[in-house]
Amino acid sequence: MRTINRMLLLGSALCLALTTGFAQETSSTLDGQFNELLESSNSVKSSSGREYKVVNLQDLNSIWANVQDRMAASKEELAATQNKVESLNQEVTNLTQKIDEQQSIVEASEHAATHISVLGLDIPKDKFVGAFWITTAILLVLLAGAIYQFKRSRNVTQRTQMNFMQLQEEMEELRRTSLEKERRLRRELQTERNAVEEMGRNTGIKR
């Protein structure tokens, strides 16, 4: 913006300097010729007392030719000044466009530096980082809960397996004990039977 303002001021100053200088030069030259024409002219008074100047026609035509030349030169100078002004305006417009483009690039860079695209959504990075850490914390809590539940389930399973093995051992011991009792009872029963039979045979002999 400072560059644009400086160029505008420079263009205005240039146009003012050219116009003022040319106007002063033209005015000084024509004023001198006009004063020379008046000094070289003869004064004539009319019957009504009014004073007239009789000038040399050649000098008057010369002044008029100079005026026309100055007017033509002034138009050319004005056209050149206008061209310079238009050129400066075009440069200002180009600079403005470049500045706008650079501003757009800067804004896009700032936007890219402060935002992130996630699943087609444009999210500010600070909010994304906050949401990321919150999600991470929730997942860590869930993971800790899952690990705790897994360990608890494993401990329960291990205790259940140990109890089942102990129960199996107790049932096996009970089965062995029962078999031993059954065998002992069978032996005792067989002994009693043998004793009864022996007694029967002994009784028969006595008869």
Side-chain angles (χ1 to χ4, degrees):
M1 295 301 295
R2 292 181 178 177
T3 304
I4 295 175
N5 292 333
R6 288 177 180 176
M7 292 193 67
L8 288 175
L9 291 175
L10 179 62
S12 300
L14 178 62
C15 295
L16 181 61
L18 290 174
T19 305
T20 303
F22 183 77
Q24 289 177 350
E25 181 183 358
T26 302
S27 176
S28 176
T29 302
L30 293 177
D31 285 343
Q33 291 181 353
F34 184 74
N35 290 330
E36 290 179 0
L37 181 63
L38 289 179
E39 291 176 359
S40 62
S41 63
N42 297 322
S43 299
V44 178
K45 288 186 178 180
S46 65
S47 57
S48 59
R50 299 184 64 180
E51 185 176 0
Y52 294 91
K53 288 289 187 177
V54 179
V55 298
N56 189 321
L57 183 59
Q58 185 177 359
D59 293 338
L60 183 61
N61 289 332
S62 178
I63 292 176
W64 178 245
N66 289 335
V67 169
Q68 289 181 333
D69 292 340
R70 293 298 180 181
M71 289 295 293
S74 177
K75 288 180 180 180
E76 292 178 358
E77 190 69 24
L78 180 60
T81 303
Q82 289 177 346
N83 290 334
K84 291 182 180 180
V85 170
E86 290 177 359
S87 178
L88 289 175
N89 289 334
Q90 185 62 38
E91 291 182 4
V92 170
T93 302
N94 294 335
L95 287 176
T96 303
Q97 291 178 352
K98 290 181 179 179
I99 291 174
D100 292 338
E101 292 175 358
Q102 292 296 327
Q103 185 66 28
S104 299
I105 294 174
V106 170
E107 291 177 355
S109 299
E110 291 178 351
H111 185 80
T114 57
H115 289 71
I116 187 172
S117 180
V118 179
L119 298 176
L121 299 177
D122 195 20
I123 303 175
K125 285 187 177 180
D126 53 351
K127 293 183 179 179
F128 175 78
V129 171
F132 171 78
W133 285 115
I134 291 174
T135 304
T136 302
I138 293 173
L139 291 176
L140 289 175
V141 171
L142 293 176
L143 179 61
I147 293 174
Y148 172 77
Q149 189 67 28
F150 171 76
K151 290 183 177 180
R152 182 179 178 184
S153 300
R154 186 178 64 179
N155 292 333
V156 171
T157 302
Q158 289 177 351
R159 286 197 301 269
T160 303
Q161 289 177 349
M162 292 178 63
N163 293 334
F164 179 73
M165 292 175 64
Q166 290 177 357
L167 181 60
Q168 279 185 333
E169 292 176 356
E170 291 176 358
M171 289 181 66
E172 183 66 22
E173 184 66 26
L174 180 61
R175 187 180 68 81
R176 287 195 300 268
T177 305
S178 299
L179 287 175
E180 289 293 332
K181 287 182 179 180
E182 183 180 354
R183 290 172 183 173
R184 188 174 63 253
L185 289 173
R186 284 180 179 179
R187 286 195 299 268
E188 290 177 356
L189 180 60
Q190 187 66 34
T191 302
E192 291 294 330
R193 285 179 180 177
N194 292 336
V196 171
E197 290 178 357
E198 185 64 27
M199 289 177 63
R201 286 195 295 272
N202 291 335
T203 303
I205 295 172
K206 288 180 179 181
R207 288 178 181 178

